[in-house]
Amino acid sequence: MVVAVLVAASLVAGTGPAASATSAASAGPAGAAPELGGYWATSYEPGTPRPAGFPARGRARNLRGETTEVTTTVRDVRSGHPNDTSAQEGVTSLSDQDSATKWYARDSGRPTGEKPVYAIYTLRTPAAVTGYSLTSANDAPPRDPAAWTVLGSDSDSAATDADDSSWHVLDQQEEQRFGARGQTDFYPVTATHAYRHYQLRITDNCADRCQGSDGDHSKLQLADWTLRGSAGSTASALGVRVENADSVGAADGSAALRYAGRVLAAGPASSTVVLRSGLDVPLVRGSKLSYAIRPDDSASAHVALDIRYTDPDGRHPRTREVRAANSKPAPGEWNTVSADLGALAGKHVSEILLRYDDAHAKSGSVPSGWIDDVSIGKAVVDASTSWSYLDTPDVDPARGNEDRTAWTRTGFDTGDVPWKTDTGPFGAKNDGTDLGDGFPVRTKLRLRKDAGNSAGDSTEAYFFRTSFSMDRASLDAMSGLVGTVVYDDTVTVYLNGRRIAGHGDGKITKNLQYETPDGTSGEGDPVTARFGVPASALRTGTNTLAVEVHQCNSSSSDIYFGPGPLARTTGSLPFTDEQLGTSYASDTQPAAPGGGDYFTWLLRSFDAARNEPSVMGANEVLPKGTTYEELTAIDDRTVVDINNAPSGPADPQVHKALVDGANSPYRTMADGLGTTLGGLYGQALKNGELPKTEALLSGRVEHTADSSADWYQTAKNNYQYKRPFVRMGFTEEQGLIKPWDSPGGYAGLAGDGSFPSGHTSHGYAQGIVLATLLPELSPQILARASEYGNNRILLSFHYPTDIMGGRIVGEKTAQLRWSDPEFRTLLEQAQTELRAVLVQKCRETGAGDSLTRCAGRGTPYLPTTDALKVYKQRMTYGFPHIGAEGLPPAVPEGAEDLLRTSHPKLTGAQRRTVLAATQIPSGSALDEQGDGGSWQRIDLARAMTAKVTAHHDGTLTVDGVRVNADGTRTGD
């Protein structure tokens, strides 16, 4: 199932639009797949976290917006069964509005009225709740809550006592069922009061009433509990959020638009909400705006989408209404609305608006409902496109051509190959076409070579071709095309004979062969993939799109090819497979002097620290009962200090450490951008709007095209220093370490070396690259990267020296990428994408028209002065110097390239001077004092924020101090 937004944005060069209103490919009045066509598309796959927010602003009369999430102000979450040692399944996951995480109430047993299972929210400030929602978790339906009570309290004693006498009942539910995994159901609260504490008191689960194993009858889980409130008593635009809509019958409602408001008084009431701004969608003949709408009741049916359009030069803005033909949409069901915009050919759409207008609104009525399937523009390939396809066993589409992909080119002579023609989706399951909800089949494929053989011997591969035409004006006006494809088991996409995308197809060498994607068995539902086609791959006139889908083995029982829309875009395209698959110079580690592993050599100063008893303890397990006072190494004492500091497993820092450890740093470190910009960054990642940025941060910066091996692992294996929890033991066993993670988490790493910290190397590599993409926030991002590393000490997986070593690996990794001119091109493209998308989101949400202003609208992760201080402190953790002091600055080769974005006007030599002038003094642990410079001394946060003035005599003034080329103070 593909969920797509079909709009475009070009307000800022390179901008990709925010994922706003969304389109479910098989949602609609009858669940049939509607036609999807548009100018821009971004895709979501089922099961991925839905967008956390929705950019909406506007004006209203006699109406106030609803669906403001009170959980955004949750300060604390408690439970009698918190499952604190799980980053993904602890009770705090209830409030994260992410259906991919959940609360698993470990060891709770089946809840009853006598033994309920509860979760308590404590808000930062009291707030009234007008409703709430629950989202079912993954795994087994018997674990779902089936009966519960929601309560509120003003008493602080209620925060820790679920049976406190101050609790007031707000709502009760019984015999509830969730129809699907990740489904969100909504419940109103009529008696509202601004309580500080809210309790979800679960008194039963679905148990034997839901299909599943007996072992799940005594278990309880829930993905999300979201409290909802009004926007106040004054007029405000309809509240708008992206929500899960499975509960209202959408085939895939994991990202549908939910709107809601409340009429303040009888009489005319209206609201206009800007859903998407900054668009630049050129309209042509055949362009349409279409959407599906499902009002909850008759009072909610006074809603429609409008467009704001201008002349091509952006002048003369006007509004066009798009409503259902001759009637309001019917409440309680999906209605398809479509409008032909061909009469506006030549105009450009600049905004999409959501409008509510009721001349006879009733006081207290609550207009609410859903919008889905939004598309605007005209796709080059859509659901109505006819495809030539080949599903005849043992027939090669290339007709024996030496080039097996010859059939993918325009003008290829198909000869007597028995191609057929029809529209998609294409598929088969055994002898039928039932591949499950979300995978409709319009054209049945021939699955078996022998129709009577149901035991196996399936067709190896299936081939599809279609063509479309492009004119020069269209090519000049766009950056390329964005498309989606749903497939099973592997897919390769070609454009004019050129491979532009592939998934699981790395070992395919001939057309008629089976291929099982690496790391899978070939089983499971069809998969959705997004791909981009750069304008350079297109040509004026006829273009040929070709797709091949291979089966995993001869006994495979299903096949699927669901062609999604292929739409024009002026925004950011994903990197091509060629760009990510190319071998770059920086994919090869530098040569270590004397041979051997480079990163083992780079971290060789670890030996000096290991040989200094005041810094590091002997590499052996300490006897049980060893006291803190008996520890002689500062490395050990610091671990115990940091690990023992939290008040308990519910401490927020413990949870943050667990979340950091279980997730990718570039995601969890979003808070380093501050509350406003970090939220928009996180939303853009979830929406799939940062394909280039994510491709680099999620792996390509740290790994090669053909290997996911970590560069630090050989050094870790070579140094083999025991981890803190191994050496010092856990408190329940007369040791010194408090076990905040799960027993399995510790057991899984007990045999792996401690130095350097792998998690920290990832944190700094991704954090440093992110800081170079957003240099104005570099001190905060780098301080957050240091916290990511520090959290490994809190969990007692690592020592401070391990964190220092991980930082050095991360710094070197990021430097190698920025020093590689060809790879640098990828980084620069990602920077353009990231900044453009964030600026666009800031404008849409009214947070400012620059990143600096937008970041200033929220609370920063840390003030700059504090960020610089904490980053510097974690460089050495205050350890005593063990090496020579007073040495001149020593900048590693290439380190200056990390300052390219923060100091773009300086030369490489001048950037080296800045690094030298801002270095910390020599002599600390891991300070390399030989040839090659010292990464341990590089204070990157200070260097990136340094105020620099260049003088004609070659000197620089760095943060008020005039220095020579070597970074030392001049005699002036």
Side-chain angles (χ1 to χ4, degrees):
M1 176 66 59
V2 180
V3 181
V5 182
L6 299 168
V7 292
S10 59
L11 184 62
V12 180
T15 297
S20 303
T22 59
S23 168
S26 60
E35 291 190 2
L36 295 179
Y39 200 77
W40 193 91
T42 185
S43 301
Y44 305 89
E45 297 180 25
T48 60
R50 63 184 183 275
F54 195 93
R57 54 184 172 82
R59 58 186 182 275
R61 175 187 178 187
N62 196 21
L63 181 106
R64 68 183 184 190
E66 299 279 347
T67 71
T68 299
E69 279 69 20
V70 179
T71 49
T72 58
T73 63
V74 170
R75 188 192 70 185
D76 188 32
V77 186
R78 293 179 180 269
S79 173
H81 299 278
N83 198 9
D84 286 321
T85 60
S86 174
Q88 304 289 343
E89 299 184 351
V91 71
T92 55
S93 295
L94 270 183
S95 64
D96 64 6
Q97 298 176 46
D98 184 350
S99 60
T101 63
K102 69 181 180 184
W103 170 39
Y104 169 48
R106 185 181 299 277
D107 301 325
S108 66
R110 181 174 180 176
T112 65
E114 292 72 30
K115 293 184 178 180
V117 180
Y118 67 86
I120 297 174
Y121 284 173
T122 296
L123 309 185
R124 295 186 184 279
T125 57
V129 168
T130 56
Y132 65 94
S133 65
L134 299 183
T135 302
S136 61
N138 63 353
D139 289 338
R143 302 183 182 187
D144 292 340
W148 61 81
T149 302
V150 173
L151 308 98
S153 173
D154 289 319
S155 174
D156 285 343
S157 62
T160 55
D161 186 357
D163 297 317
D164 191 84
S165 60
S166 65
W167 287 110
H168 298 276
V169 174
L170 304 179
D171 185 56
Q172 286 184 304
Q173 298 291 332
E174 295 181 353
E175 295 298 327
Q176 296 296 302
R177 299 279 186 91
F178 291 92
R181 303 300 87 206
Q183 175 175 311
T184 300
D185 288 343
F186 296 84
Y187 304 88
V189 173
T190 55
T192 60
H193 174 80
Y195 291 110
R196 178 75 179 276
H197 310 284
Y198 288 87
Q199 178 185 168
L200 176 65
R201 192 178 185 89
I202 301 171
T203 52
D204 198 6
N205 63 0
C206 202
D208 53 348
R209 289 162 293 180
C210 288
Q211 186 175 1
S213 66
D214 292 347
D216 287 315
H217 292 177
S218 60
K219 298 177 180 178
L220 179 68
Q221 65 176 26
L222 184 65
D224 286 299
W225 172 37
T226 301
L227 302 175
R228 301 169 184 276
S230 74
S233 59
T234 58
S236 61
L238 277 172
V240 186
R241 290 283 298 182
V242 174
E243 300 285 2
N244 184 300
D246 289 330
S247 58
V248 291
D252 183 336
S254 61
L257 185 153
R258 175 74 164 166
Y259 66 86
R262 186 181 297 272
V263 176
L264 301 175
S270 63
S271 167
T272 300
V273 182
V274 179
L275 300 183
R276 280 294 288 116
S277 65
L279 306 181
D280 187 20
V281 182
L283 298 176
V284 297
R285 300 181 80 179
S287 291
K288 294 181 179 180
L289 171 67
S290 63
Y291 59 95
I293 183 169
R294 187 189 188 279
D296 286 343
D297 52 35
S298 58
S300 308
H302 300 270
V303 170
L305 294 190
D306 297 341
I307 61 167
R308 190 80 165 161
Y309 66 93
T310 68
D311 293 337
D313 58 6
R315 301 173 62 187
H316 305 112
R318 283 148 287 180
T319 300
R320 169 74 175 261
E321 299 180 6
V322 182
R323 290 185 175 272
N326 303 319
S327 65
K328 295 191 298 292
E333 62 183 68
W334 286 101
N335 303 256
T336 298
V337 179
S338 181
D340 185 354
L341 302 179
L344 300 179
K347 306 298 184 183
H348 287 219
V349 175
S350 59
E351 292 182 340
I352 296 179
L353 313 173
L354 172 62
R355 180 166 48 83
Y356 163 80
D357 192 357
D358 186 356
H360 306 286
K362 295 181 180 180
S363 177
S365 64
V366 181
S368 58
W370 304 85
I371 292 177
D372 211 349
D373 295 346
V374 178
S375 66
I376 184 170
K378 188 177 187 303
V380 298
V381 172
D382 60 21
S384 65
T385 299
S386 292
W387 291 77
S388 296
Y389 69 100
L390 176 61
D391 66 346
T392 304
D394 302 320
V395 176
D396 188 335
R399 299 175 57 220
N401 194 301
E402 185 176 346
D403 177 7
R404 77 172 188 87
T405 66
W407 64 276
T408 68
R409 294 195 290 269
T410 302
F412 175 70
D413 182 5
T414 59
D416 57 358
V417 173
W419 290 87
K420 309 171 187 176
T421 302
D422 217 323
T423 55
F426 302 83
K429 174 70 173 179
N430 291 321
D431 296 325
T433 59
D434 184 10
L435 283 93
D437 292 341
F439 307 108
V441 173
R442 181 174 296 177
T443 301
K444 181 180 178 181
L445 294 174
R446 181 170 178 173
L447 180 66
R448 309 291 180 192
K449 290 185 177 181
D450 179 356
N453 178 6
S454 60
D457 200 23
S458 68
T459 302
E460 293 95 334
Y462 305 81
F463 307 91
F464 308 86
R465 286 167 46 98
T466 193
S467 296
F468 58 89
S469 183
M470 299 293 297
D471 57 54
R472 174 48 56 188
S474 295
L475 289 174
D476 292 342
M478 67 184 186
S479 57
L481 304 173
V482 174
T484 55
V485 59
V486 188
Y487 66 94
D488 188 308
D489 289 300
T490 74
V491 68
T492 310
V493 182
Y494 303 90
L495 194 286
N496 297 328
R498 171 183 172 184
R499 180 184 183 275
I500 57 174
H503 299 273
D505 63 339
K507 298 179 181 178
I508 294 175
T509 59
K510 56 185 179 179
N511 287 330
L512 302 181
Q513 74 169 77
Y514 297 108
E515 180 58 44
T516 302
D518 287 342
T520 74
S521 63
E523 298 179 354
D525 289 337
V527 179
T528 300
R530 182 186 180 205
F531 62 91
V533 181
S536 60
L538 297 163
R539 60 182 62 154
T540 56
T542 301
N543 291 264
T544 297
L545 182 68
V547 179
E548 63 179 272
V549 178
H550 288 251
Q551 290 283 68
C552 63
N553 54 49
S554 62
S555 61
S556 178
S557 63
D558 59 354
I559 177 65
Y560 196 78
F561 167 55
L566 184 63
R568 302 172 181 87
T569 182
T570 57
S572 179
L573 289 170
F575 287 122
T576 65
D577 285 1
E578 181 180 2
Q579 287 175 298
L580 295 179
T582 294
S583 179
Y584 294 92
S586 53
D587 284 336
T588 302
Q589 294 184 29
D597 175 63
Y598 174 78
F599 281 95
T600 300
W601 173 83
L602 183 69
L603 298 169
R604 62 197 181 280
S605 54
F606 175 72
D607 288 330
R610 183 167 49 181
N611 294 331
E612 177 52 61
S614 65
V615 172
M616 297 185 65
N619 192 20
E620 57 189 31
V621 177
L622 300 179
K624 289 185 177 181
T626 299
T627 65
Y628 178 84
E629 289 71 23
E630 292 174 311
L631 297 177
T632 58
I634 191 171
D635 222 17
D636 293 345
R637 293 197 301 272
T638 304
V639 170
V640 176
D641 289 342
I642 294 175
N643 167 262
N644 286 193
S647 57
D651 190 298
Q653 194 62 44
V654 170
H655 180 69
K656 194 171 188 179
L658 291 171
V659 171
D660 271 357
N663 296 277
S664 298
Y666 74 94
R667 288 186 177 275
T668 67
M669 294 194 303
D671 58 336
L673 280 63
T675 55
T676 296
L677 198 59
L680 297 177
Y681 167 73
Q683 179 186 330
L685 286 174
K686 290 181 179 180
N687 291 358
E689 298 172 75
L690 299 172
K692 287 185 169 69
T693 305
E694 186 163 15
L696 297 186
L697 294 180
S698 66
R700 194 60 182 89
V701 162
E702 297 180 80
H703 300 133
T704 65
D706 56 3
S707 174
S708 59
D710 294 315
W711 284 354
Y712 58 77
Q713 191 60 50
T714 300
K716 185 186 287 281
N717 295 339
N718 287 338
Y719 288 115
Q720 274 300 315
Y721 192 76
K722 298 182 187 299
R723 292 180 182 262
F725 68 89
V726 173
R727 290 185 54 247
M728 292 186 277
F730 295 118
T731 51
E732 64 257 30
E733 299 171 348
Q734 294 184 291
L736 293 165
I737 299 303
K738 292 184 177 180
W740 302 125
D741 205 337
S742 65
Y746 287 108
L749 293 176
D752 192 31
S754 186
F755 180 86
S757 166
H759 274 76
T760 302
S761 74
H762 295 311
Y764 273 101
Q766 295 171 36
I768 289 171
V769 170
L770 183 60
T772 60
L773 303 184
L774 300 171
E776 55 270 81
L777 292 171
S778 58
Q780 286 77 17
I781 296 172
L782 292 173
R784 179 63 179 93
S786 76
E787 182 190 18
Y788 187 92
N790 194 70
N791 280 339
R792 302 306 288 170
I793 303 176
L794 186 147
L795 298 177
S796 191
F797 284 118
H798 287 287
Y799 305 90
T801 47
D802 301 342
I803 306 309
M804 299 175 203
R807 172 172 49 80
I808 291 171
V809 172
E811 286 175 319
K812 183 62 182 181
T813 301
Q815 174 261 305
L816 288 171
R817 295 310 194 184
W818 273 107
S819 296
D820 180 347
E822 293 185 347
F823 197 92
R824 189 188 309 146
T825 300
L826 304 185
L827 291 166
E828 290 168 345
Q829 291 179 22
Q831 182 181 34
T832 298
E833 170 194 80
L834 176 61
R835 299 179 69 85
V837 168
L838 291 182
V839 167
Q840 176 68 14
K841 285 186 169 295
C842 290
R843 287 171 171 164
E844 287 180 325
T845 54
D849 57 2
S850 70
L851 294 182
T852 302
R853 287 186 178 180
C854 190
R857 289 293 295 271
T859 303
Y861 169 72
L862 284 174
T864 296
T865 300
D866 293 346
L868 292 172
K869 182 178 179 180
V870 73
Y871 183 84
K872 183 176 181 180
Q873 192 277 331
R874 288 173 179 157
M875 289 180 65
T876 65
Y877 282 88
F879 281 20
H881 284 193
I882 59 174
E885 300 182 80
L887 297 179
V891 179
E893 181 182 358
E896 64 274 11
D897 288 316
L898 293 177
L899 302 187
R900 281 180 173 270
T901 60
S902 60
H903 299 291
K905 296 182 179 180
L906 300 183
T907 66
Q910 289 172 328
R911 294 185 194 113
R912 289 183 64 83
T913 299
V914 173
L915 288 168
T918 55
Q919 273 192 352
I920 64 173
S922 66
S924 64
L926 268 62
D927 174 28
E928 179 51 51
Q929 301 191 332
D931 296 334
S934 174
W935 283 106
Q936 173 61 4
R937 294 187 222 167
I938 297 294
D939 187 343
L940 189 59
R942 185 184 169 196
M944 291 187 74
T945 56
K947 293 179 172 59
V948 182
T949 302
H951 304 288
H952 293 297
D953 62 357
T955 62
L956 300 179
T957 295
V958 180
D959 289 336
V961 177
R962 195 153 182 165
V963 296
N964 292 315
D966 60 5
T968 59
R969 184 187 293 266
T970 67
D972 296 343

